[in-house]
Amino acid sequence: MKQYVILVFTSSHAIGIEQKLKKMGVPCKLCAIPRNLSSDCGICVRFDETNLETVEALVKTLSFDIQEIIATNY
Amino acid sequence: MTIVYMDNAATTWPKPPEVLAAMTRTMEEAGGNAGRGGHRLAVAAGEILYQVRDTVAVFFGCSDPFRVTFTANATESINLILKGYLKPGDHVLVSPLEHNAVMRPLQFLAQQNIQWSVLPSAKDGRIDTTLIEPMIRQNTRLFVICHESNVNGVIQPIHEISKIAHSFHIPLLADCSQSAGSVPIDIDSDGIDFLVFTGHKSLFGPVGTGGIVWGSQANIEQITPLKQGGTGSVSDRYDQPDFLPDKFESGTLNIVGLSGLKAGIDWINRNQMNQLSSEKDVLLQKFLDEIRAIKRVQVFCAEKKENQGGVFSLIIERLDNGFAAQWLDEEKGILSRVGLHCAPLAHRFLHTFPAGTIRFAVSPFTTCEDVEICIDAIKMLAEKKETAHFL
Ligand SMILES: Cc1ncc(COP(=O)(O)O)c(C=O)c1O
């Protein structure tokens, strides 16, 4: 299944998103940022395609900006 | 001799055992650097940090964990806000019971033509809200209010003060160093814009923890960080990040201490703060009622019971405070705090400057027996004719 990652500007935001998704029962994982993607904060949140809409909806409600959500084969 | 610890306003002691256990666990199981790197120990530390943020936010009624900024203590938090927000020519209104954590930065800022004045109050220092409006000047940019005095325990009517401040579009900084964990606080419904707390008093965390909770209307863009430096984020740039929480949190945070702070707040939540506070109130009122009846003892506390926090002060006529406190310690094992309590403004206001007072502060760990030992000891002191005699 297609995988996505949420890239953020700081790892606190990645953890914040992960904890919110977990509370909502959406499977996700904090993981190291794939090397081909540029971001400095070290970690991103990975989830699969079935949850894309839920994640996009959640991102709209956050108090901070994320960098982007991108598909990855990693 | 057992210790009767009455210096809880300086820092609470003992701490719940859960606080120590949490700190040890963090060192052992989450020993990486939060926000730096992606390995498991760094992520574990980051997760703990997020949980502390969330716990603090919920505790103060804030819906966004990232509107919690961690600092080393209330002093750093207050410096951050005063130095980051005020501009030359600004004017600040303060309560008569402010701590030097507020007064010294304000005195420093006076060099930049930032002025302050003291709000009118009742004799115990509780602000008279009917007299606030005429004090507001065109350049008044901030109210700074010590929510609970660390000298006489007076609790300020923070909500009423903020209503007036907000009607002039002026934000309010509440120094909740003493009140946090002992008086219920809801940041938005109390009308607090900048909520300052320290972790090591009634929140039962360790020393070296504290922070700011930003009210939902607080304009964070206007505030310059006190420190610039590494955040583990946007490291390709020399500019300080402008987003929360990194904007104000350069440098490695005290994650071990903060995990202890979370355990302290969890302990309060488990034991129900209202319950803890009402038990504390009963003890304190017994304490106050009994010593007010002792001749030669002058008590400094709130005029009305409902405005009294867990702290009060006293002096004994013709007896030197220092000698009295030393006698209490050496002869009775009672640890009190004597002097000006870093609050010369409050002591000048209460006419106890420069000798200060002897301060007592109870905590949920204070027992009825502790209070009885104190009452008996104060009675004995008051029976001494004068310092020379009692030496
Ligand atoms: C009212 C008040 N404000 C500020 C402070 C400063 O707290 P800290 O020393 O933790 O920065 C204290 C503690 O002594 C206090 O009682």
Side-chain angles (χ1 to χ4, degrees):
Chain A
M1 191 180 301
K2 209 168 178 181
Q3 297 288 303
Y4 285 82
V5 293
I6 312 169
L7 296 182
V8 289
F9 291 105
T10 178
S11 64
S12 323
H13 292 169
I15 292 168
I17 294 171
E18 180 228 21
Q19 303 265 327
K20 283 207 161 120
L21 288 174
K22 279 197 171 149
K23 252 191 204 162
M24 292 159 65
V26 176
C28 64
K29 196 167 182 276
L30 281 173
C31 52
I33 294 173
R35 289 225 127 200
N36 60 329
L37 303 175
S38 96
S39 176
D40 159 63
C41 85
I43 49 175
C44 58
V45 187
R46 196 173 66 187
F47 61 96
D48 68 36
E49 196 176 14
T50 48
N51 294 305
L52 184 58
E53 265 177 40
T54 317
V55 170
E56 282 174 339
L58 171 75
V59 161
K60 286 199 188 113
T61 69
L62 296 172
S63 61
F64 51 85
D65 294 330
I66 64 155
Q67 215 169 314
E68 58 183 330
I69 297 177
I70 46 176
T72 172
N73 46 13
Y74 147 86
Chain B
M1 196 184 321
T2 53
I3 287 180
V4 179
Y5 187 77
M6 285 289 164
D7 199 16
N8 290 290
T11 193
T12 48
W13 184 87
K15 308 290 184 196
E18 291 88 334
V19 172
L20 282 70
M23 291 169 70
T24 306
R25 209 164 45 243
T26 300
M27 292 267 245
E28 287 171 352
E29 295 170 14
N33 194 333
R36 277 78 168 159
H39 62 73
R40 74 189 75 174
L41 287 185
V43 172
E47 283 179 330
I48 288 177
L49 187 60
Y50 180 82
Q51 285 154 12
V52 189
R53 252 185 240 292
D54 194 39
T55 301
V56 170
V58 170
F59 190 74
F60 293 116
C62 165
S63 57
D64 180 4
F66 293 118
R67 287 182 88 81
V68 175
T69 290
F70 290 122
T71 62
N73 46 44
T75 305
E76 186 185 332
S77 303
I78 293 166
N79 270 268
L80 189 163
I81 297 164
L82 297 182
K83 292 176 182 165
Y85 170 72
L86 296 170
K87 303 271 181 299
D90 285 350
H91 171 248
V92 181
L93 284 167
V94 302
S95 86
L97 301 176
E98 293 308 311
H99 188 275
N100 263 351
V102 169
M103 298 318 295
R104 283 190 172 158
L106 283 181
Q107 190 65 16
F108 174 80
L109 291 169
Q111 296 163 5
Q112 297 172 25
N113 190 28
I114 290 167
Q115 295 174 335
W116 53 271
S117 22
V118 178
L119 288 162
S121 67
K123 280 209 184 85
D124 61 358
R126 196 166 200 267
I127 291 163
D128 183 339
T129 50
T130 62
L131 301 176
I132 292 178
E133 255 193 64
M135 296 295 292
I136 297 175
R137 303 183 190 167
Q138 229 163 11
N139 59 339
T140 303
R141 281 252 297 164
L142 185 66
F143 278 66
V144 180
I145 306 294
C146 179
H147 190 199
E148 176 183 335
S149 162
N150 67 314
V151 175
N152 64 1
V154 159
I155 296 169
Q156 298 290 356
I158 210 90
H159 179 53
E160 288 72 23
I161 300 168
S162 92
K163 267 203 280 197
I164 300 168
H166 288 174
S167 70
F168 288 83
H169 307 288
I170 303 168
L172 180 140
L173 183 167
D175 173 3
C176 300
S177 298
Q178 293 294 338
S179 57
S182 119
V183 179
I185 301 172
D186 186 282
I187 186 161
D188 285 334
S189 56
D190 285 333
I192 301 171
D193 299 283
F194 312 127
L195 188 164
V196 166
F197 66 94
T198 200
H200 64 98
K201 300 187 197 270
S202 292
L203 292 172
F204 290 105
V207 291
T209 57
I212 302 167
V213 188
W214 307 97
S216 62
Q217 302 304 313
N219 190 348
I220 290 154
E221 285 86 65
Q222 289 179 2
I223 298 174
T224 315
L226 188 61
K227 303 180 285 189
Q228 289 76 26
T231 53
S233 56
V234 283
S235 301
D236 53 327
R237 298 215 313 254
Y238 295 133
D239 302 324
Q240 184 70 8
D242 58 3
F243 49 80
L244 292 175
D246 296 9
K247 178 174 179 177
F248 301 112
E249 287 184 351
S250 288
T252 298
L253 284 173
N254 178 6
I255 174 76
V256 174
L258 290 169
S259 69
L261 173 62
K262 177 180 183 301
I265 298 176
D266 288 344
W267 182 86
I268 297 169
N269 288 335
R270 263 199 312 283
N271 289 283
Q272 297 180 350
M273 186 164 74
N274 288 344
Q275 182 66 24
L276 293 174
S277 302
S278 64
E279 285 166 8
K280 219 168 78 173
D281 287 350
V282 171
L283 268 187
L284 194 86
Q285 280 310 322
K286 171 189 161 71
F287 199 162
L288 284 172
D289 289 346
E290 296 235 9
I291 57 165
R292 261 196 292 239
I294 307 174
K295 258 202 200 139
R296 290 178 60 205
V297 173
Q298 191 184 348
V299 179
F300 300 87
C301 61
E303 282 171 6
K304 292 186 183 146
K305 274 185 191 171
E306 62 269 28
N307 304 328
Q308 180 68 53
V311 186
F312 74 91
S313 276
L314 59 83
I315 52 176
I316 303 170
E317 273 171 41
R318 296 194 301 281
L319 215 56
D320 180 276
N321 291 335
F323 287 120
Q326 194 178 342
W327 183 85
L328 288 172
D329 182 353
E330 288 173 358
E331 300 297 322
K332 300 288 169 189
I334 298 169
L335 310 188
S336 62
R337 168 89 184 277
V338 64
L340 292 173
H341 315 101
C342 300
L345 181 71
H347 280 286
R348 281 180 196 276
F349 176 83
L350 297 168
H351 306 292
T352 46
F353 186 89
T357 53
I358 311 171
R359 181 181 72 184
F360 295 81
V362 295
S363 99
F365 291 101
T366 307
T367 63
C368 200
E369 195 195 347
D370 291 337
V371 169
E372 275 159 13
I373 293 171
C374 290
I375 295 167
D376 288 344
I378 295 165
K379 276 184 188 155
M380 283 173 76
L381 274 176
E383 278 159 17
K384 313 268 180 199
K385 274 213 183 89
E386 56 198 22
T387 302
H389 171 86
F390 122 85
L391 286 176

